[in-house]
Amino acid sequence: MDSTFPRVRKPKLGYNTTQVDGFLQLARRAYDGTASADDAPLTSDRIRLTAFAMQKGGYSTTHVDQALERLEDAFAAQERQVAARLHGGEAWLREARTTAQVVSNRLARPEGHRFDRVSPLVRGYSTRDVDRFADKLTRYFRDGWPISIEDVRTVVFKTQRGGYREAQVDLLLDAVVDVMLAVR
């Protein structure tokens, strides 16, 4: 299979080409319904959480990440269609509204207290950065202010000692992406 991804120059690190190509083959089989019995199930959530090892001269991380985002979108649309056929479109939207309400409740907490904090000896996400982005998300959910799914997927926070627990913030961002994909 010839790759459509550019490679980084040899001394630089990019994604492991064998892992990326293998994952894309698995995704193609899963999407077109030709997955084998020993293929692991593939969902939009699993695509979002996929990670590859790094290698010198590997695939450009930017190009692969963009392809994974498009793949996640395609799988989410397919999952939405299946759920709508099985349970009705209203059930799918009801679940998205429930998730949006859980996210909104978390975002409504006071600044500096929206997420658990790590020990003062450990680095976590900057509370100021996260709270600033949380305010943008609040305006998105409450007032319909524009924010793109790309903004949520690519947000980067500085770190600080005693900051917010990264795993908790990342889970909330994943939930926001789920809601945004559901209402597309």
Side-chain angles (χ1 to χ4, degrees):
M1 176 171 144
D2 287 343
S3 172
T4 57
F5 300 116
R7 289 177 176 251
V8 296
R9 293 182 185 245
K10 200 63 158 179
K12 293 188 178 185
L13 293 176
Y15 286 139
N16 180 292
T17 58
T18 304
Q19 290 177 359
V20 171
D21 290 341
F23 181 79
L24 291 178
Q25 288 173 355
L26 171 71
R28 179 174 292 131
R29 290 191 307 267
Y31 191 77
D32 66 17
T34 61
S36 64
D38 50 328
D39 283 347
L42 192 58
T43 64
S44 59
D45 288 338
R46 180 161 173 234
I47 293 167
R48 185 179 319 128
L49 299 175
T50 296
F52 303 110
M54 303 298 279
Q55 74 179 57
K56 289 182 180 178
Y59 288 143
S60 161
T61 57
T62 301
H63 289 88
V64 173
D65 288 346
Q66 289 171 349
L68 288 177
E69 289 168 5
R70 290 188 303 273
L71 193 60
E72 179 188 356
D73 291 348
F75 270 76
Q78 189 179 57
E79 291 162 8
R80 184 173 51 245
Q81 289 172 348
V82 169
R85 278 196 308 269
L86 293 175
H87 309 291
E90 186 56 36
W92 179 264
L93 290 175
R94 189 171 35 253
E95 184 177 334
R97 279 193 295 271
T98 300
T99 302
Q101 187 59 57
V102 170
V103 168
S104 294
N105 292 345
R106 171 67 66 165
L107 297 174
R109 293 179 179 185
E111 287 187 13
H113 300 283
R114 288 182 170 134
F115 300 94
D116 291 343
R117 304 287 281 269
V118 295
S119 158
L121 303 175
V122 177
R123 297 189 76 78
Y125 285 146
S126 161
T127 56
R128 178 180 289 146
D129 286 359
V130 172
D131 284 340
R132 190 174 301 133
F133 193 72
D135 290 341
K136 290 180 183 180
L137 292 175
T138 297
R139 288 191 300 271
Y140 167 79
F141 283 107
R142 186 187 61 213
D143 305 326
W145 278 38
I147 189 167
S148 74
I149 203 166
E150 181 73 14
D151 293 335
V152 179
R153 285 177 170 154
T154 60
V155 67
V156 176
F157 304 115
K158 294 177 189 158
T159 61
Q160 72 177 59
R161 292 192 187 282
Y164 282 140
R165 187 170 306 283
E166 293 178 12
Q168 243 187 353
V169 175
D170 291 344
L171 283 172
L172 180 108
L173 294 175
D174 284 345
V176 170
V177 168
D178 286 341
V179 169
M180 293 174 100
L181 288 172
V183 298
R184 266 191 170 175

